[in-house]
Amino acid sequence: MPPPTTIFERQSRLAQDLGAINLGQGFPDMAAVGRGPEVLLAAAARALTEQSNQYPPMRGLPVLKTAIVDYYAREQGLALHPDEVVVTSGATEALAAALLALVRPGDEVVLVQPLYDAYLPLVARAGGVARLVDLTPPHWSLPLAALAEAISDKTRVLLLNTPNNPTGSAIDADAWTAIAALCERHDVTLICDEVWEGMVLEGRHLSPLAIPALRARTVKIGSAGKIFSLTGWKVGWACAAPPLADAIAAMHQFLTFTTATPLQWAVAEGLALPADWHDEHRQPYRNARNFLADRLTAAGYAVMPGGATWFLIIDLAASGIALRDEDFAHRALTEAGVATIPVSAFYAERPQTGFVRLCFAKDEATLALAADRLAAFRRVVS
């Protein structure tokens, strides 16, 4: 039996059918971003005609692996070697290769809710047994005591996501130190989904690879699609110490084998852009987040802080709305013409049902109209 259609696909399809504003699916639709950064589009066009269009090396073009290493040295202070990088067809493929490489049937994998919808199917495909820990609202902090309780001698992998989608929360240095102690005690490998690292809108991203005790037991997952707002390019990577990288590459070769050669050349050029360029690329997202948050707050919604990603979360109860998130999302779409995503969709069990997620990576006019519609809707449901 095929898997059921996801809430993301259902909301997007219904939004299209109804002519609604789609703040549900996470893709940028902003004039400031356009079709993507022009410098990368030009680089891809040049690569298409001036570089090879044949198979690249299975683990990625050397120029791209070096660019990834250099980017992380500048942006995050990490000391990596190109041999520790495996280029994949998107971050989801990197996750799949890592889980297939590291998990054997019956191994336990500890994951944190809310979570990306691909995690659990990938764990199941590898034969793993999922153990779930919940972030704690309203700050969506990681409960270290609950994490420690979930990890056992059967645990093979801990899969974390920082910054977290949908909450935007991040794991700090103190928490990483505690996590490192747990991983060492139980000989656990950490897979860290860091695809939103380039969309940290305040502060600086902290990777577990910066923690000495985690350096040899961490797989870091990255995504050019998120860094450069080019979600359709599907260029991702896994970074890990050589034994882990070798195991991931062994799986990658039988999943997609390689990733589009011209796009690898283009991403390498993009990663070499200076830090100022990357910060300027984030600025339209800061502006859009602040604009939508201000409009929704003025309308009486309780908007939770969004320090990273392209998403904001509304706290329904704190907004005076006595609806479950699924009911709010359905009615906001069908009655107000605005698609959102219930946060409960990011849970496999024990869901939080009082929060909805909105994507703010849209033009100001679109956000203004959506906020006006949601303001009128709130007067109906509160």
Short mmCIF file of all heavy atoms in Angstrom, two decimals, residues 201-254:
data_model
loop_
_atom_site.label_atom_id
_atom_site.label_comp_id
_atom_site.label_asym_id
_atom_site.label_seq_id
_atom_site.Cartn_x
_atom_site.Cartn_y
_atom_site.Cartn_z
N LEU A 201 18.93 33.56 11.43
CA LEU A 201 18.69 34.99 11.18
C LEU A 201 19.24 35.87 12.27
O LEU A 201 19.39 37.08 12.08
CB LEU A 201 17.18 35.23 11.00
CG LEU A 201 16.54 34.40 9.88
CD1 LEU A 201 15.05 34.69 9.78
CD2 LEU A 201 17.22 34.65 8.54
N GLU A 202 19.52 35.30 13.43
CA GLU A 202 20.23 36.00 14.51
C GLU A 202 21.26 35.06 15.09
O GLU A 202 21.00 33.88 15.25
CB GLU A 202 19.27 36.45 15.63
CG GLU A 202 18.60 37.79 15.38
CD GLU A 202 17.35 37.65 14.52
OE1 GLU A 202 16.65 36.65 14.67
OE2 GLU A 202 17.10 38.55 13.71
N GLY A 203 22.43 35.62 15.42
CA GLY A 203 23.47 34.80 16.02
C GLY A 203 24.20 33.96 15.00
O GLY A 203 24.18 34.22 13.79
N ARG A 204 24.85 32.92 15.49
CA ARG A 204 25.69 32.06 14.64
C ARG A 204 25.37 30.61 14.90
O ARG A 204 25.14 30.21 16.05
CB ARG A 204 27.17 32.34 14.92
CG ARG A 204 28.13 31.64 13.97
CD ARG A 204 29.57 32.05 14.26
NE ARG A 204 30.49 31.44 13.31
CZ ARG A 204 31.81 31.60 13.33
NH1 ARG A 204 32.35 32.36 14.28
NH2 ARG A 204 32.59 31.02 12.44
N HIS A 205 25.36 29.83 13.84
CA HIS A 205 25.07 28.41 13.98
C HIS A 205 26.23 27.68 14.66
O HIS A 205 27.40 27.94 14.39
CB HIS A 205 24.83 27.81 12.59
CG HIS A 205 24.61 26.32 12.61
ND1 HIS A 205 23.47 25.75 13.14
CD2 HIS A 205 25.39 25.29 12.21
CE1 HIS A 205 23.55 24.44 13.03
NE2 HIS A 205 24.70 24.13 12.47
N LEU A 206 25.87 26.76 15.56
CA LEU A 206 26.86 25.92 16.24
C LEU A 206 26.64 24.47 15.83
O LEU A 206 25.62 23.87 16.16
CB LEU A 206 26.75 26.07 17.76
CG LEU A 206 27.72 25.21 18.58
CD1 LEU A 206 29.17 25.56 18.27
CD2 LEU A 206 27.43 25.37 20.07
N SER A 207 27.60 23.92 15.11
CA SER A 207 27.53 22.52 14.69
C SER A 207 28.13 21.62 15.74
O SER A 207 29.11 21.98 16.41
CB SER A 207 28.30 22.34 13.38
OG SER A 207 28.42 20.97 13.04
N PRO A 208 27.62 20.40 15.90
CA PRO A 208 28.24 19.46 16.84
C PRO A 208 29.66 19.07 16.43
O PRO A 208 30.44 18.62 17.27
CB PRO A 208 27.30 18.26 16.82
CG PRO A 208 26.55 18.38 15.53
CD PRO A 208 26.41 19.84 15.29
N LEU A 209 30.02 19.27 15.15
CA LEU A 209 31.39 18.99 14.75
C LEU A 209 32.38 19.94 15.40
O LEU A 209 33.59 19.69 15.39
CB LEU A 209 31.52 19.06 13.23
CG LEU A 209 30.95 17.88 12.44
CD1 LEU A 209 31.19 18.08 10.95
CD2 LEU A 209 31.53 16.55 12.90
N ALA A 210 31.89 21.04 15.98
CA ALA A 210 32.76 21.97 16.71
C ALA A 210 33.02 21.50 18.14
O ALA A 210 33.85 22.08 18.83
CB ALA A 210 32.13 23.36 16.74
N ILE A 211 32.32 20.44 18.57
CA ILE A 211 32.49 19.91 19.92
C ILE A 211 33.49 18.76 19.84
O ILE A 211 33.22 17.74 19.19
CB ILE A 211 31.15 19.41 20.49
CG1 ILE A 211 30.07 20.49 20.37
CG2 ILE A 211 31.31 18.94 21.92
CD1 ILE A 211 30.37 21.79 21.07
N PRO A 212 34.67 18.88 20.46
CA PRO A 212 35.71 17.85 20.29
C PRO A 212 35.22 16.43 20.55
O PRO A 212 35.58 15.50 19.81
CB PRO A 212 36.78 18.28 21.29
CG PRO A 212 36.64 19.78 21.37
CD PRO A 212 35.16 20.03 21.28
N ALA A 213 34.41 16.24 21.57
CA ALA A 213 33.97 14.88 21.91
C ALA A 213 33.01 14.31 20.88
O ALA A 213 32.76 13.09 20.88
CB ALA A 213 33.31 14.88 23.29
N LEU A 214 32.45 15.15 20.00
CA LEU A 214 31.53 14.68 18.98
C LEU A 214 32.16 14.61 17.59
O LEU A 214 31.54 14.12 16.65
CB LEU A 214 30.29 15.58 18.92
CG LEU A 214 29.33 15.47 20.09
CD1 LEU A 214 28.26 16.58 20.03
CD2 LEU A 214 28.66 14.10 20.12
N ARG A 215 33.38 15.10 17.46
CA ARG A 215 34.00 15.24 16.14
C ARG A 215 34.06 13.92 15.39
O ARG A 215 33.82 13.86 14.17
CB ARG A 215 35.40 15.84 16.30
CG ARG A 215 36.19 16.00 14.99
CD ARG A 215 35.49 16.97 14.05
NE ARG A 215 36.30 17.22 12.85
CZ ARG A 215 36.34 16.44 11.78
NH1 ARG A 215 35.60 15.33 11.75
NH2 ARG A 215 37.10 16.76 10.74
N ALA A 216 34.41 12.83 16.05
CA ALA A 216 34.61 11.55 15.37
C ALA A 216 33.35 10.72 15.27
O ALA A 216 33.35 9.69 14.58
CB ALA A 216 35.70 10.75 16.08
N ARG A 217 32.26 11.14 15.92
CA ARG A 217 31.05 10.32 15.93
C ARG A 217 29.84 11.06 15.39
O ARG A 217 28.71 10.66 15.64
CB ARG A 217 30.78 9.78 17.34
CG ARG A 217 30.53 10.82 18.40
CD ARG A 217 30.09 10.18 19.72
NE ARG A 217 31.12 9.43 20.38
CZ ARG A 217 31.11 8.09 20.51
NH1 ARG A 217 30.10 7.38 20.05
NH2 ARG A 217 32.10 7.48 21.13
N THR A 218 30.07 12.16 14.64
CA THR A 218 28.96 12.95 14.11
C THR A 218 28.95 12.95 12.58
O THR A 218 29.99 13.08 11.94
CB THR A 218 29.04 14.40 14.61
OG1 THR A 218 28.85 14.43 16.01
CG2 THR A 218 28.00 15.28 13.94
N VAL A 219 27.74 12.82 12.03
CA VAL A 219 27.50 13.04 10.60
C VAL A 219 26.72 14.34 10.47
O VAL A 219 25.61 14.46 10.99
CB VAL A 219 26.70 11.88 9.98
CG1 VAL A 219 26.42 12.17 8.50
CG2 VAL A 219 27.42 10.56 10.14
N LYS A 220 27.31 15.30 9.81
CA LYS A 220 26.68 16.61 9.60
C LYS A 220 26.04 16.63 8.21
O LYS A 220 26.70 16.34 7.21
CB LYS A 220 27.74 17.71 9.70
CG LYS A 220 27.27 19.13 9.34
CD LYS A 220 28.47 20.08 9.35
CE LYS A 220 28.11 21.49 8.90
NZ LYS A 220 27.32 22.21 9.92
N ILE A 221 24.75 16.97 8.14
CA ILE A 221 24.01 17.01 6.89
C ILE A 221 23.79 18.48 6.49
O ILE A 221 23.30 19.28 7.29
CB ILE A 221 22.64 16.31 7.02
CG1 ILE A 221 22.81 14.88 7.54
CG2 ILE A 221 21.90 16.33 5.69
CD1 ILE A 221 23.52 13.94 6.63
N GLY A 222 24.15 18.82 5.24
CA GLY A 222 23.97 20.19 4.76
C GLY A 222 23.22 20.22 3.44
O GLY A 222 23.07 19.19 2.76
N SER A 223 22.77 21.42 3.05
CA SER A 223 21.92 21.57 1.87
C SER A 223 22.19 22.89 1.17
O SER A 223 21.97 23.95 1.74
CB SER A 223 20.45 21.50 2.26
OG SER A 223 19.61 21.96 1.22
N ALA A 224 22.64 22.82 -0.08
CA ALA A 224 22.78 24.03 -0.89
C ALA A 224 21.41 24.64 -1.17
O ALA A 224 21.29 25.86 -1.29
CB ALA A 224 23.50 23.72 -2.19
N GLY A 225 20.39 23.80 -1.28
CA GLY A 225 19.05 24.32 -1.57
C GLY A 225 18.57 25.30 -0.53
O GLY A 225 17.93 26.31 -0.86
N LYS A 226 18.86 25.04 0.75
CA LYS A 226 18.45 25.95 1.80
C LYS A 226 19.41 27.14 1.91
O LYS A 226 18.98 28.27 2.13
CB LYS A 226 18.40 25.20 3.14
CG LYS A 226 17.39 24.05 3.17
CD LYS A 226 15.98 24.53 2.93
CE LYS A 226 14.94 23.45 3.23
NZ LYS A 226 15.08 22.25 2.41
N ILE A 227 20.71 26.90 1.76
CA ILE A 227 21.66 28.00 1.86
C ILE A 227 21.41 29.06 0.80
O ILE A 227 21.48 30.26 1.05
CB ILE A 227 23.11 27.47 1.76
CG1 ILE A 227 23.46 26.63 3.00
CG2 ILE A 227 24.11 28.62 1.61
CD1 ILE A 227 24.79 25.92 2.89
N PHE A 228 21.08 28.62 -0.43
CA PHE A 228 20.97 29.54 -1.56
C PHE A 228 19.55 29.75 -2.05
O PHE A 228 19.35 30.38 -3.09
CB PHE A 228 21.84 29.03 -2.71
CG PHE A 228 23.30 29.00 -2.39
CD1 PHE A 228 23.97 27.79 -2.27
CD2 PHE A 228 24.01 30.17 -2.20
CE1 PHE A 228 25.33 27.76 -1.96
CE2 PHE A 228 25.37 30.14 -1.89
CZ PHE A 228 26.02 28.94 -1.78
N SER A 229 18.54 29.24 -1.35
CA SER A 229 17.13 29.40 -1.76
C SER A 229 16.88 28.77 -3.12
O SER A 229 16.09 29.27 -3.92
CB SER A 229 16.74 30.89 -1.79
OG SER A 229 17.04 31.53 -0.58
N LEU A 230 17.52 27.65 -3.37
CA LEU A 230 17.38 26.92 -4.64
C LEU A 230 16.93 25.49 -4.32
O LEU A 230 17.65 24.53 -4.54
CB LEU A 230 18.70 26.92 -5.40
CG LEU A 230 19.17 28.30 -5.90
CD1 LEU A 230 20.64 28.26 -6.30
CD2 LEU A 230 18.31 28.78 -7.06
N THR A 231 15.71 25.38 -3.80
CA THR A 231 15.26 24.10 -3.27
C THR A 231 15.16 23.02 -4.34
O THR A 231 15.25 21.83 -4.03
CB THR A 231 13.90 24.26 -2.57
OG1 THR A 231 12.94 24.80 -3.50
CG2 THR A 231 14.01 25.21 -1.38
N GLY A 232 14.98 23.42 -5.60
CA GLY A 232 14.86 22.43 -6.67
C GLY A 232 16.17 21.88 -7.17
O GLY A 232 16.17 20.94 -7.96
N TRP A 233 17.29 22.45 -6.73
CA TRP A 233 18.58 21.95 -7.21
C TRP A 233 18.93 20.60 -6.59
O TRP A 233 19.62 19.80 -7.20
CB TRP A 233 19.68 22.97 -6.91
CG TRP A 233 19.76 24.06 -7.93
CD1 TRP A 233 18.74 24.48 -8.76
CD2 TRP A 233 20.89 24.88 -8.24
NE1 TRP A 233 19.17 25.51 -9.55
CE2 TRP A 233 20.49 25.78 -9.25
CE3 TRP A 233 22.18 24.95 -7.74
CZ2 TRP A 233 21.36 26.73 -9.80
CZ3 TRP A 233 23.05 25.90 -8.27
CH2 TRP A 233 22.65 26.77 -9.29
N LYS A 234 18.49 20.38 -5.36
CA LYS A 234 18.73 19.09 -4.68
C LYS A 234 20.21 18.72 -4.68
O LYS A 234 20.62 17.65 -5.13
CB LYS A 234 17.90 17.98 -5.33
CG LYS A 234 16.38 18.20 -5.25
CD LYS A 234 15.89 18.22 -3.83
CE LYS A 234 15.95 16.86 -3.18
NZ LYS A 234 15.46 16.89 -1.78
N VAL A 235 21.01 19.63 -4.15
CA VAL A 235 22.43 19.36 -3.91
C VAL A 235 22.66 19.40 -2.40
O VAL A 235 22.46 20.44 -1.77
CB VAL A 235 23.34 20.38 -4.61
CG1 VAL A 235 24.81 20.07 -4.29
CG2 VAL A 235 23.11 20.38 -6.12
N GLY A 236 23.01 18.27 -1.84
CA GLY A 236 23.27 18.20 -0.41
C GLY A 236 24.59 17.50 -0.15
O GLY A 236 25.33 17.17 -1.09
N TRP A 237 24.90 17.27 1.13
CA TRP A 237 26.14 16.60 1.46
C TRP A 237 26.10 16.08 2.89
O TRP A 237 25.31 16.52 3.71
CB TRP A 237 27.34 17.54 1.31
CG TRP A 237 27.17 18.88 1.95
CD1 TRP A 237 27.32 19.19 3.28
CD2 TRP A 237 26.81 20.10 1.30
NE1 TRP A 237 27.09 20.53 3.48
CE2 TRP A 237 26.76 21.12 2.28
CE3 TRP A 237 26.53 20.45 -0.02
CZ2 TRP A 237 26.45 22.44 1.99
CZ3 TRP A 237 26.21 21.76 -0.32
CH2 TRP A 237 26.18 22.74 0.68
N ALA A 238 26.97 15.12 3.13
CA ALA A 238 27.23 14.62 4.48
C ALA A 238 28.70 14.83 4.77
O ALA A 238 29.56 14.55 3.92
CB ALA A 238 26.87 13.15 4.59
N CYS A 239 29.00 15.35 5.97
CA CYS A 239 30.38 15.55 6.42
C CYS A 239 30.60 14.70 7.67
O CYS A 239 29.81 14.78 8.62
CB CYS A 239 30.64 17.02 6.75
SG CYS A 239 30.33 18.17 5.38
N ALA A 240 31.66 13.92 7.68
CA ALA A 240 31.92 13.04 8.82
C ALA A 240 33.35 12.55 8.77
O ALA A 240 34.02 12.61 7.73
CB ALA A 240 30.96 11.85 8.80
N ALA A 241 33.83 12.06 9.89
CA ALA A 241 35.15 11.45 9.95
C ALA A 241 35.25 10.32 8.93
O ALA A 241 34.23 9.70 8.57
CB ALA A 241 35.42 10.93 11.36
N PRO A 242 36.45 10.02 8.42
CA PRO A 242 36.59 9.08 7.29
C PRO A 242 35.86 7.74 7.43
O PRO A 242 35.21 7.32 6.46
CB PRO A 242 38.11 8.89 7.18
CG PRO A 242 38.66 10.21 7.63
CD PRO A 242 37.75 10.65 8.75
N PRO A 243 35.90 7.06 8.57
CA PRO A 243 35.16 5.78 8.61
C PRO A 243 33.66 5.95 8.37
O PRO A 243 33.03 5.12 7.69
CB PRO A 243 35.45 5.25 10.02
CG PRO A 243 36.72 5.93 10.43
CD PRO A 243 36.65 7.28 9.81
N LEU A 244 33.08 7.02 8.94
CA LEU A 244 31.66 7.28 8.72
C LEU A 244 31.41 7.72 7.28
O LEU A 244 30.45 7.27 6.64
CB LEU A 244 31.17 8.34 9.69
CG LEU A 244 31.14 7.96 11.17
CD1 LEU A 244 30.80 9.17 12.04
CD2 LEU A 244 30.14 6.84 11.42
N ALA A 245 32.24 8.62 6.77
CA ALA A 245 32.06 9.09 5.40
C ALA A 245 32.17 7.93 4.41
O ALA A 245 31.41 7.86 3.43
CB ALA A 245 33.10 10.18 5.08
N ASP A 246 33.10 7.02 4.63
CA ASP A 246 33.25 5.86 3.74
C ASP A 246 31.99 5.00 3.74
O ASP A 246 31.54 4.51 2.70
CB ASP A 246 34.45 5.03 4.15
CG ASP A 246 35.78 5.73 3.93
OD1 ASP A 246 35.79 6.77 3.22
OD2 ASP A 246 36.80 5.25 4.47
N ALA A 247 31.42 4.79 4.92
CA ALA A 247 30.21 3.97 5.02
C ALA A 247 29.04 4.64 4.32
O ALA A 247 28.22 3.98 3.65
CB ALA A 247 29.88 3.71 6.49
N ILE A 248 28.93 5.96 4.47
CA ILE A 248 27.86 6.70 3.80
C ILE A 248 28.03 6.65 2.29
O ILE A 248 27.06 6.44 1.54
CB ILE A 248 27.83 8.15 4.31
CG1 ILE A 248 27.37 8.17 5.78
CG2 ILE A 248 26.91 9.03 3.47
CD1 ILE A 248 27.63 9.49 6.48
N ALA A 249 29.26 6.82 1.82
CA ALA A 249 29.52 6.77 0.38
C ALA A 249 29.16 5.40 -0.20
O ALA A 249 28.66 5.31 -1.33
CB ALA A 249 30.99 7.09 0.10
N ALA A 250 29.39 4.35 0.56
CA ALA A 250 29.07 3.00 0.08
C ALA A 250 27.57 2.84 -0.16
O ALA A 250 27.16 2.10 -1.07
CB ALA A 250 29.55 1.97 1.09
N MET A 251 26.74 3.53 0.63
CA MET A 251 25.30 3.51 0.40
C MET A 251 24.89 4.48 -0.70
O MET A 251 24.05 4.18 -1.54
CB MET A 251 24.57 3.84 1.70
CG MET A 251 24.69 2.77 2.76
SD MET A 251 23.96 1.22 2.18
CE MET A 251 24.66 0.06 3.35
N HIS A 252 25.50 5.66 -0.68
CA HIS A 252 25.19 6.68 -1.69
C HIS A 252 25.38 6.15 -3.11
O HIS A 252 24.58 6.45 -4.01
CB HIS A 252 26.08 7.91 -1.44
CG HIS A 252 26.20 8.84 -2.59
ND1 HIS A 252 25.13 9.56 -3.10
CD2 HIS A 252 27.28 9.19 -3.35
CE1 HIS A 252 25.54 10.32 -4.11
NE2 HIS A 252 26.83 10.10 -4.28
N GLN A 253 26.40 5.31 -3.33
CA GLN A 253 26.67 4.85 -4.69
C GLN A 253 25.54 4.00 -5.25
O GLN A 253 25.41 3.89 -6.48
CB GLN A 253 27.99 4.08 -4.73
CG GLN A 253 27.98 2.75 -4.01
CD GLN A 253 29.31 2.03 -4.12
OE1 GLN A 253 29.98 2.12 -5.15
NE2 GLN A 253 29.70 1.32 -3.06
N PHE A 254 24.72 3.42 -4.38
CA PHE A 254 23.61 2.60 -4.85
C PHE A 254 22.25 3.27 -4.65
O PHE A 254 21.21 2.65 -4.84
CB PHE A 254 23.64 1.23 -4.17
CG PHE A 254 24.87 0.44 -4.52
CD1 PHE A 254 25.74 0.03 -3.55
CD2 PHE A 254 25.16 0.14 -5.85
CE1 PHE A 254 26.89 -0.70 -3.86
CE2 PHE A 254 26.30 -0.57 -6.18
CZ PHE A 254 27.17 -0.99 -5.19
#
